[in-house]
Amino acid sequence: MFLPSVSNAKELVTFDEVPYPKLPVSAEGIQLGQIGGDVLAFGGVGSDAVFLLNEEADEWTQLEANLAISDAFVISSEDILYVIGGQAEDVLSDTVFSLKLENDQLVKTDIIDLPVSLNHLTATLDESDLYVAGYSVEADSQKMLIQLNLDNATKGWAELDVWPGEGEGVLVAGYQDGDLFIGESDFDGTSTALYRYNDGEEWSIRETLPVIFNDGGVSLSLGPSHILFGGIDATRDDNKRLVLWSYHTVTNTWSEIGGVTSSSEVERVIPWFIERKPPETDLSGIVSVSGEGMTESSHVVLAEIKVKKGLFTWLDYTAVVVYLVGMIWIGVYFSKREKGTEDFFVGGRKMPWWAVGFSLYATGTSAISFMAIPALSFGTNWIVLSGNVFGLIATVFVALYLVPLIRRLNITSTFEYLESRFHPSLRMVGSFQCLVFQICGRMSVVLFLPALALSSVTGLDVVTSILVMGIIATVYTVLGGIKAVIWTDVVQVIVLLGGAIFCLFVIIKGIDGGLSEFLRITTVDEKTRMFDWSWDYTIPTAWVFLLLMVINVTELPRDQVMVQRILSTKSDKAAGRSVFTLALIVIPGSVLFFGLGTALYVFYKSHPERLSPLLPGVDSTLPYFVAAELPIGITGLIIAALFAASMSSLDSSMNSVATVITVDFYKRFKKNVTDKASLHLAKWITIAAGVFGTVFALILSRYPAPYLFEVFAGFGGLLGGGIGGVFSLGLFTRRANWQGAMIGMLASVIITWAAQEFTDMTPFLFVGVAIVSCTVIGYLASLCFPAPSQSLKGLTLFAEK
C-alpha cells in the first residue's frame, strides 16, 4: 500500500531578524523591557536615563525619569514591567518594583523587597504569581525559590521547595500551564539540567537543557505547551551569539529555533510577545541589545519566530470546493421531493435505520471532536475513552426501553412529552432552553473553534471559514430539511473517518521506527492507559464514568437533535437498530481519534523540530500536521473533513431549532395552521438560525476562545442537566408532578452553579450533579403537592401501556 512520506514536510516555522533603531546609550548593564507594545530601556552602568520606543515609532524618545540600576532581571506582564534585584551604586540590590506608562509618564511603584539578596537570580511570572530563584548571598550560596502573589503582596514572599541538584550554576526559569520550570547549568559548562515543579507539588527531572546560557537566560511561554528559551551562547568566547531553543512540555523535547549573531557583544536579552486582536498575527521572540563596552550607542534586534500561512494550493482549494458543492447538491435533490413539514422535520418517518445511525454519530462528532479528542490524548492518555465504553451499556438500555416509548408518543418535538407528562409550562421552559443553548452556544462554538484552528495553519482566515461553513450548511438544510441533513451526515461520517484513518497511517509511517516504535513509546509513557480506579472526584476516573452511565440514560430523550432522528425511522425496530448502529460506530471511532492523538504525540516526540511553538491551542495540532506534513490535494481533502464535521453538527442544530419553534410555539399557540404555512415558516426559521449562529460565531472570534468555550460549556451544564432531571422524573416515576419538577429544575441550577464555583470536581460530573439534584429534590417536592391526575399510560416506563 502506498503512503506518502512526511520527510519533505512543508516548513511552517520561520525565523527573522528585525532591526530596531539604535539606542543612544551604552549597552553595558542596561535594562530592556516590554510595556504593552513598547520597548523601555533604562539604567545601565554609569547611566540613569530612560528611553521609550513606541511600537509604531522609528526612534527612541527619552522620558523625564531617572532609574539608576544595572544588571537587574526584568519581566513583563501585559502593560506592567517588573524589575527585580540588580546593582545600585555598585551594591547588590534586593529591591523589587514595577513600571507602568500612564499618559506618557513613567510611574514607578515599589513592591516588597526580596527577603535576601540573590546571586544569579532568574524569575518568571504566571498571571499574579511572581517566582524568583537564585543563590543566597548571606547563606553560603544556598539555593532559594520564593513566590510573591502580586495581587496580595502585603503577605510577603513565600519560600518554596528548591529544585534538585547540587552546587551553584547559571539559572533560567519558565512557566507553562501551571508548572514551573528551572534550568540549571554548571559554571564550567560540563552539565545542564531541567526541572519541573508540577503544580507546586513536587519536582521532577526533565529532558536535559541542551544549551548553556552565559549569565542565565530568559523564557517566554508560547501557546498551550511551549516555552521559548533565549540567551547568550556560553560555548562561544565572544558573547555575540543569541540562541533560541523551544521546549515542548507535553513530549518533553527540545528543538532549536535559530539564533542571531551580533557584530558586537550581546549585553542584554528580553522575551518579547505582542498579543494582537484576531485576525492579526502575534509577534513572538527575543529582543537583544548589544554594543562594545561603554560606546555611545547600542544595537537592538528582535529575533522573531512566526508561522507561515497560505499553504493551500489550487488542488487543495479544488478538493474543498468540490465537497461543498456536493453538499449543496444533496440539499437541492431532496428539496424536489419535499411534500410538507412531515418530510422537513422527520423525513416522512421513512429514513433507513443505518443512515439514521450514521447521522446520530455525525451529530455528536463535530470538528471540535475531530480536533479536541486527538488533542486530549496527545496531551494526556485514554482515560476519557472509558466513558464511551461504559456508555455502551446505557445505549443498549436506551435502545431497548426508551426508544420504543418515545416512538409510541408520535411526537415531533421531544418537549411535547413534557406537556403530556407534566404541564405546558415545562414544555415551554424546555423548548426555550433548547433554543438558547443551540443558537447562542452550540452553533456558534462548533463554527468558531474549528475556524480558529484552521486559520492558524491554512491561511483561511477565521471570518472566511465561519462564513463558508455557516452559509453552505444553511443552504442545504433549508433546501432539503432533515433528509438532506441525514444524508449529508452519512457522507460526512465517511469523509471524517476516512480522513482520520489516512492521517493515522501517515503519522505512524513518519515515525522513526514505524509501528514498533509507536507501540514502544506509548507503552513507556503510558499514553493508552484507559481506566483509573482511584477514588478522586476531581479527575475523570472510571467511577465517575460508571456514575454518569447510570445518570445519563436521559441524554437521548432530552436532546431534540437525537430524538428527531429517532422519529424519522420507519418503525420502533428500525429506531432501535439506528441506536445500536450509533453504538457500534462510537467505540471504533473513538479509538481511532484517541489513537490519532497518541500517534501525533509519538511523531512530534520523534521530530520536535517540526512542531510549531506558535500554535494557538492544542486543538490546532492535528490541522497543523495536515497542513505541514501531508501532500497537496490530500491536505484539502482532510480540511474538507474538518468542514464536514463542523457542518454535521451545525445542520442538525438548525433543523432542530426550526422544529422546536414551529411545533412548540407556532403550532402550539396558533390554531388552524396549514401545513404549507408551517413549512414556509420552518424554512425561514432555518435561515434565521443559520444567520444568528454565524453572527454569534463571528462575535466569538473577537474574544479569547478558551475562556468563552468554558463559559458556554458551564452554561450548557446548568441548563441541560436540569431539563435532563425533569425527563428522569417523568420517565422513571409515577408520583412526580409538574410543581415538583419545576422546583427540582430550579434547585439544580443553583446546586450545579455552586459545584462549579466552590468545588474541584471534574467538569464531567456537572451534568450528573444537575440531573441527580433535580431528580431527588423534584421528587421530594412533588410529595408536597397532589399526585398527577391525568392518565400516565405510555408516559413512564412503569405505567401500563
Side-chain angles (χ1 to χ4, degrees):
M1 178 180 178
F2 172 75
L3 287 175
S5 172
V6 295
S7 58
N8 297 318
K10 307 165 190 173
E11 183 183 5
L12 288 189
V13 179
T14 61
F15 177 81
D16 292 328
E17 298 179 34
V18 182
Y20 283 5
K22 279 190 175 182
L23 185 62
V25 291
S26 167
E28 187 173 2
I30 198 169
Q31 322 308 310
L32 204 65
Q34 176 185 356
I35 298 183
D38 304 330
V39 183
L40 193 70
F42 57 95
V45 176
S47 174
D48 60 2
V50 180
F51 294 90
L52 179 70
L53 179 65
N54 187 274
E55 183 183 1
E56 300 173 352
D58 56 1
E59 63 179 356
W60 294 89
T61 302
Q62 186 167 357
L63 302 181
E64 295 181 1
N66 299 308
L67 290 173
I69 193 169
S70 64
D71 297 315
F73 197 94
V74 178
I75 190 167
S76 300
S77 173
E78 296 182 356
D79 58 347
I80 300 177
L81 192 66
Y82 296 97
V83 183
I84 308 157
Q87 297 274 347
E89 299 180 355
D90 297 328
V91 177
L92 192 64
S93 173
D94 58 6
T95 60
V96 180
F97 59 88
S98 67
L99 298 173
K100 189 174 184 178
L101 285 173
E102 294 182 359
N103 299 322
D104 296 328
Q105 298 294 317
L106 190 65
V107 178
K108 177 187 175 186
T109 303
D110 291 325
I111 304 175
I112 188 168
D113 292 348
L114 300 174
V116 295
S117 297
L118 297 174
N119 272 325
H120 311 294
L121 73 78
T122 184
T124 188
L125 188 66
D126 172 45
E127 296 181 354
S128 61
D129 289 319
L130 178 63
Y131 296 87
V132 177
Y135 303 94
S136 173
V137 175
E138 304 165 0
D140 299 325
S141 298
Q142 177 182 335
K143 291 188 294 186
M144 289 200 68
L145 176 63
I146 52 180
Q147 174 191 20
L148 179 68
N149 186 288
L150 297 169
D151 291 338
N152 195 4
T154 55
K155 285 189 175 182
W157 292 89
E159 191 169 343
L160 306 178
D161 295 334
V162 296
W163 59 99
E166 299 179 356
E168 186 177 0
V170 178
L171 302 175
V172 60
Y175 202 96
Q176 176 62 272
D177 193 27
D179 294 338
L180 173 67
F181 293 84
I182 298 287
E184 185 177 39
S185 306
D186 290 345
F187 288 126
D188 58 8
T190 58
S191 65
T192 62
L194 180 70
Y195 306 101
R196 181 181 70 178
Y197 201 29
N198 184 20
D199 284 330
E201 295 180 356
E202 59 181 0
W203 286 98
S204 60
I205 300 176
R206 308 298 287 169
E207 185 65 27
T208 301
L209 188 71
V211 62
I212 300 172
F213 294 125
N214 183 16
D215 198 21
V218 294
S219 68
L220 178 64
S221 176
L222 296 178
S225 53
H226 276 93
I227 305 177
L228 179 68
F229 288 94
I232 305 164
D233 188 353
T235 62
R236 297 169 60 101
D237 295 330
D238 55 10
N239 289 346
K240 294 182 180 180
R241 179 68 175 171
L242 168 66
V243 292
L244 300 176
W245 282 80
S246 175
Y247 174 70
H248 189 225
T249 61
V250 175
T251 58
N252 187 29
T253 53
W254 290 89
S255 58
E256 186 173 8
I257 300 297
V260 176
T261 300
S262 175
S263 59
S264 53
E265 288 193 4
V266 177
E267 179 66 25
R268 185 72 54 208
V269 294
I270 65 165
W272 181 257
F273 181 70
I274 304 176
E275 185 174 358
R276 304 178 187 273
K277 293 182 179 180
E280 295 183 50
T281 305
D282 295 336
L283 295 179
S284 301
I286 301 291
V287 170
S288 64
V289 57
S290 59
E292 295 290 349
M294 297 292 291
T295 56
E296 294 182 355
S297 65
S298 306
H299 299 279
V300 181
V301 176
L302 167 64
E304 177 192 347
I305 56 174
K306 57 185 179 181
V307 175
K308 280 186 179 178
K309 293 188 178 182
L311 295 174
F312 258 30
T313 66
W314 67 270
L315 196 57
D316 296 314
Y317 280 113
T318 300
V320 174
V321 170
V322 168
Y323 175 83
L324 296 179
V325 170
M327 296 300 98
I328 295 178
W329 179 84
I330 291 176
V332 173
Y333 177 83
F334 285 107
S335 69
K336 298 177 181 178
R337 290 157 176 78
E338 196 170 73
K339 299 177 181 179
T341 55
E342 187 82 354
D343 276 347
F344 191 81
F345 293 144
V346 289
R349 304 186 193 268
K350 298 178 181 179
M351 298 301 296
W353 58 265
W354 63 269
V356 172
F358 272 67
S359 183
L360 287 170
Y361 176 76
T363 299
T365 310
S366 67
I368 298 174
S369 302
F370 191 101
M371 294 180 290
I373 292 178
L376 182 64
S377 58
F378 176 81
T380 56
N381 46 42
W382 289 20
I383 286 179
V384 175
L385 179 59
S386 62
N388 290 337
V389 175
F390 293 134
L392 272 179
I393 302 173
T395 301
V396 171
F397 176 84
V398 168
L400 293 178
Y401 297 102
L402 296 187
V403 166
L405 186 152
I406 294 171
R407 289 274 312 179
R408 286 194 297 270
L409 296 175
N410 195 32
I411 58 177
T412 301
S413 163
T414 189
F415 304 108
E416 291 179 78
Y417 167 80
L418 296 182
E419 179 172 358
S420 300
R421 174 62 180 84
F422 290 114
H423 191 269
S425 61
L426 281 171
R427 177 183 179 181
M428 295 299 99
V429 170
S431 301
F432 181 75
Q433 166 264 323
C434 173
L435 295 176
V436 172
F437 178 70
Q438 293 291 344
I439 297 177
C440 301
R442 191 169 187 261
M443 290 176 61
S444 56
V445 170
V446 299
L447 270 175
F448 166 56
L449 291 186
L452 182 67
L454 293 173
S455 71
S456 67
V457 293
T458 63
L460 298 172
D461 65 88
V462 175
V463 173
T464 299
S465 297
I466 290 174
L467 289 175
V468 167
M469 288 187 287
I471 292 173
I472 298 297
T474 302
V475 168
Y476 72 71
T477 303
V478 76
L479 287 174
I482 193 68
K483 289 182 180 179
V485 169
I486 289 176
W487 286 113
T488 53
D489 282 353
V490 171
V491 175
Q492 285 161 186
V493 168
I494 295 173
V495 174
L496 187 71
L497 296 181
I501 292 171
F502 183 85
C503 283
L504 181 62
F505 278 109
V506 171
I507 293 170
I508 293 178
K509 186 176 184 293
I511 297 171
D512 295 337
L515 182 61
S516 61
E517 180 67 5
F518 167 76
L519 295 174
R520 185 191 71 80
I521 293 179
T522 55
T523 301
V524 171
D525 293 356
E526 297 184 340
K527 294 297 291 183
T528 55
R529 185 163 69 98
M530 190 184 302
F531 297 98
D532 183 348
W533 295 100
S534 62
W535 293 95
D536 187 351
Y537 71 90
T538 65
I539 59 176
T541 64
W543 301 110
V544 168
F545 291 120
L546 276 171
L547 177 63
L548 290 178
M549 175 193 73
V550 178
I551 294 173
N552 275 348
V553 292
T554 61
E555 180 177 1
L556 186 142
R558 72 174 185 263
D559 189 340
Q560 172 64 25
V561 171
M562 306 292 272
V563 167
Q564 229 171 303
R565 280 151 180 74
I566 296 298
L567 298 174
S568 69
T569 54
K570 299 177 182 179
S571 63
D572 294 356
K573 187 176 181 180
R577 286 179 176 177
S578 68
V579 176
F580 279 117
T581 301
L582 165 65
L584 291 175
I585 300 176
V586 162
I587 294 301
S590 298
V591 170
L592 172 61
F593 288 128
F594 274 90
L596 192 57
T598 303
L600 284 170
Y601 170 86
V602 177
F603 178 83
Y604 285 119
K605 191 176 182 70
S606 302
H607 306 288
E609 73 284 354
R610 283 152 72 166
L611 180 61
S612 169
L614 293 183
L615 294 181
V618 181
D619 289 353
S620 298
T621 306
L622 180 58
Y624 173 81
F625 175 85
V626 170
E629 308 291 350
L630 297 187
I632 60 173
I634 301 298
T635 295
L637 289 175
I638 305 301
I639 297 302
L642 291 173
F643 276 112
S646 288
M647 291 190 295
S648 67
S649 295
L650 187 64
D651 57 21
S652 302
S653 293
M654 285 189 291
N655 191 257
S656 296
V657 166
T659 303
V660 168
I661 293 178
T662 304
V663 174
D664 289 332
F665 291 96
Y666 182 63
K667 285 186 174 181
R668 174 69 176 74
F669 294 106
K670 189 175 179 61
K671 305 301 181 183
N672 302 319
V673 177
T674 65
D675 191 66
K676 182 178 180 180
S678 296
L679 178 61
H680 185 72
L681 175 66
K683 287 181 176 289
W684 277 109
I685 293 173
T686 302
I687 295 174
V691 170
F692 275 111
T694 304
V695 169
F696 274 114
L698 292 173
I699 293 173
L700 287 186
S701 69
R702 310 305 301 178
Y703 295 93
Y707 172 76
L708 288 173
F709 183 66
E710 290 174 7
V711 169
F712 280 117
F715 186 61
L718 288 175
L719 295 180
I723 204 68
V726 174
F727 273 96
S728 178
L729 286 168
L731 292 167
F732 301 114
T733 74
R734 292 191 184 102
R735 182 61 180 82
N737 49 44
W738 74 269
Q739 297 96 330
M742 186 71 77
I743 292 172
M745 184 171 61
L746 295 175
S748 74
V749 173
I750 298 173
I751 293 173
T752 307
W753 171 82
Q756 292 177 349
E757 291 294 320
F758 304 113
T759 73
D760 296 325
M761 71 171 55
T762 172
F764 288 97
L765 280 176
F766 290 150
V767 172
V769 168
I771 293 176
V772 170
S773 60
C774 177
T775 304
V776 173
I777 295 175
Y779 187 83
L780 294 176
S782 294
L783 300 178
C784 301
F785 299 92
S789 58
Q790 77 272 27
S791 172
L792 299 182
K793 184 178 180 180
L795 296 177
T796 75
L797 288 178
F798 309 110
E800 183 181 357
K801 297 180 181 178

